[in-house]
Amino acid sequence: NPDLGDNAVEELFRYDTPVPVIGRNALEDFSVGSRTIKAGDLVVVSLGMANRDMRRFDDADQLRTPSRLLSVSPALTLILLG
């Protein structure tokens, strides 16, 4: 069904994230929970983990329609290295 093409691409990005981890340096100090991130600290964002977050997706290990993709969403799981 050609009408499912756009959703299929998004869902496959969620299910098998092509870039599972990205790293950035903090531009300014900020807090996450009880942890303070300083300007210049490395922040690693795990898109793969965010897209399999069982708190967000009841069926995180299943392909489905419609997709609720997090790869382009601000709701990301952070792994903090420091």
Side-chain angles (χ1 to χ4, degrees):
N1 182 346
D3 294 334
L4 297 177
D6 289 344
N7 184 78
V9 169
E10 287 187 11
E11 178 59 7
L12 288 170
F13 278 148
R14 183 208 61 85
Y15 186 78
D16 190 17
T17 306
V19 180
V21 177
I22 59 173
R24 297 288 187 265
N25 291 92
L27 297 177
E28 57 187 47
D29 295 356
F30 66 97
S31 295
V32 176
S34 62
R35 182 121 188 223
T36 300
I37 307 303
K38 300 284 187 187
D41 284 355
L42 176 63
V43 178
V44 177
V45 179
S46 176
L47 298 175
M49 286 178 54
N51 284 324
R52 296 293 182 105
D53 188 343
M54 296 301 275
R55 296 169 297 180
R56 169 88 173 154
F57 303 106
D58 294 332
D59 54 353
D61 290 329
Q62 303 296 315
L63 286 170
R64 61 185 180 262
T65 61
S67 181
R68 295 181 310 275
L69 182 68
L70 288 181
S71 291
V72 293
S73 170
L76 298 175
T77 300
L78 298 179
I79 299 175
L80 306 174
L81 305 176

